[in-house]
Amino acid sequence: MALYCIGDIQGCDTALQSLLDHIGFSPSRDTVYLLGDLVNRGPASAAVLRRCMQAGDSLRSLLGNHDLHLLAAAHGARKSSRRDTLEQVLKAPDSERLLEWLRQQPLARAHVHAGETLLMVHAGVLPSWSIEDALAYAGEVQDVLQGPQLRDFLHAMYGNTPDRWDNSLTGTNRLRVIVNALTRLRFCTPAGVMDFESSESANSAPAGLVPWFDAPQRKTQDTLVTFGHWSTLGWMNRPDLLGLDTGCVWGGCLSAVRFGSTLSEREHCHVQCEEAQQPGA
C-alpha cells in the first residue's frame, strides 16, 4: 500500500490520468489525497469530478477556493469570470450528482501514517490553530455545506473580513474566517492577521507580512502540513511542510508526493502539463 498527496488539478483531467499512471496508482491498494481545487480554469472539470466519484475511498478530496466557487456559481451566489470554465460542470447532464458529491467533501483532513499525523489543507492554517482546531473548524463549515443552509451560506461566504481569528466569532463571520484561512491564505502578519491582496512567492513577502507557515509560534509547526493553492511558491519540501501546487493549469507540472515508511521519506513525482491558461492573460 502506498500513500500519496496530489496538488491542484484545476480541471486538468488528462494530467491527472497521466500522473496516476506515472505513479502506478492502484485503487485497491493505494490511498491518494487531492489537496483541493479539483475544478476550474482547466478543460475537463466534470471529468475530474467523475473520476474522483468513481474511485471511491482510494481518491480522497478536500475543498479549495475554486471548488467552493463552483458551488457558489451553481447556487447563484457568484458570477463566472472570464477565466472560469465552470459551465462544463453546470451544464453537464449529471451536474446535480457532481455538485452533491462536491458539497460532501471536507476543508481539511488528517491521516496517521506510521504513528505520525499528516494535516492536509488547501491553502493554510492560522498560527493560533492546533491540528485539532483546524479539523474542528473545518467540520463546522462542512456541516453547513451539507445542510439546508447551503444556499444562504454561499451567498454570504465571500469577503475579506473579519481578517483574523477570534474564538468569540459566531455565525457567518466565524465561518468566513475559517473558509478564508483554509482555502485562500498565503500571507499574514506575525500575529495572524490575514492578507488577501498578495500572491507573490514566499521570498517576496510584502512589508509586515510573512508566509503563513513562517508565522512565529505557529501551533502546527511540529506537524507535517501539506497544501496547494500557491502556484508562485511551487514545490516546497521542508521537514514540517509540503507545498504541492506546481502550476498544472498554467503549463507547469502536476505534482504528487509519495510517502515511504515514515512521513519524512518522500518522493516527488510529477508530470508535465499542457498549458490551459496563460499567466497574466
Side-chain angles (χ1 to χ4, degrees):
M1 296 178 64
L3 174 66
Y4 299 88
C5 289
I6 293 178
D8 301 36
I9 300 162
Q10 291 200 246
C12 297
D13 186 62
T14 298
L16 177 57
Q17 178 65 70
S18 296
L19 182 57
L20 293 175
D21 290 344
H22 176 67
I23 64 178
F25 169 65
S26 169
S28 63
R29 183 189 65 222
D30 302 329
T31 299
V32 173
Y33 286 97
L34 306 177
L35 302 180
D37 278 4
L38 306 176
V39 303
N40 203 20
R41 295 185 173 169
S45 292
V48 172
L49 296 179
R50 292 186 191 111
R51 182 186 299 278
C52 293
M53 291 175 61
Q54 293 165 2
D57 197 46
S58 60
L59 284 182
R60 304 177 184 180
S61 302
L62 54 84
L63 295 177
N65 53 302
H66 283 281
D67 308 311
L68 290 172
H69 181 43
L70 171 57
L71 290 173
H75 289 270
R78 201 71 169 175
K79 293 182 178 180
S80 295
S81 73
R82 63 182 179 86
R83 287 188 182 273
D84 287 344
T85 58
L86 301 175
E87 291 299 309
Q88 57 187 254
V89 178
L90 298 176
K91 294 183 178 180
D94 55 348
S95 175
E96 185 174 340
R97 190 167 66 96
L98 298 177
L99 294 169
E100 180 61 26
W101 177 87
L102 192 63
R103 71 184 287 210
Q104 303 300 321
Q105 305 312 305
L107 272 73
R109 288 183 180 268
H111 183 99
V112 177
H113 181 68
E116 300 175 284
T117 299
L118 171 67
L119 177 63
M120 292 161 280
V121 297
H122 176 63
V125 182
L126 286 172
S128 64
W129 292 359
S130 65
I131 303 173
E132 294 77 15
D133 292 334
L135 293 171
Y137 300 151
E140 293 182 28
V141 177
Q142 187 176 10
D143 287 345
V144 175
L145 292 176
Q146 295 177 354
Q149 297 176 308
L150 172 66
R151 182 181 177 85
D152 289 344
F153 169 67
L154 292 172
H155 278 261
M157 179 177 66
Y158 288 92
N160 294 339
T161 57
D163 59 5
R164 68 202 73 187
W165 179 250
D166 187 318
N167 286 327
S168 66
L169 286 169
T170 60
T172 299
N173 282 339
R174 181 182 179 91
L175 297 174
R176 189 184 298 126
V177 172
I178 297 168
V179 166
N180 283 345
L182 294 174
T183 70
R184 297 179 61 204
L185 181 61
R186 293 185 181 96
F187 293 105
C188 63
T189 70
V193 179
M194 295 182 284
D195 169 79
F196 300 112
E197 301 299 323
S198 305
S199 58
E200 295 88 348
S201 70
N203 295 327
S204 304
L209 300 176
V210 296
W212 66 266
F213 46 77
D214 285 336
Q217 300 180 339
R218 175 170 61 88
K219 287 188 176 180
T220 53
Q221 61 188 351
D222 294 327
T223 300
L224 178 59
V225 181
T226 184
F227 65 101
H229 184 59
W230 202 341
S231 62
T232 54
L233 180 69
W235 167 256
M236 172 174 276
N237 184 4
R238 299 189 340 193
D240 64 330
L241 205 71
L242 275 168
L244 294 181
D245 182 2
T246 48
C248 175
V249 77
W250 309 111
C253 295
L254 183 61
S255 285
V257 61
R258 177 192 286 123
F259 295 99
S261 59
T262 68
L263 291 180
S264 62
E265 295 180 13
R266 309 167 192 170
E267 179 185 358
H268 181 198
C269 311
H270 61 278
V271 293
Q272 186 65 42
C273 302
E274 184 176 347
E275 184 181 74
Q277 297 271 354
Q278 292 184 356

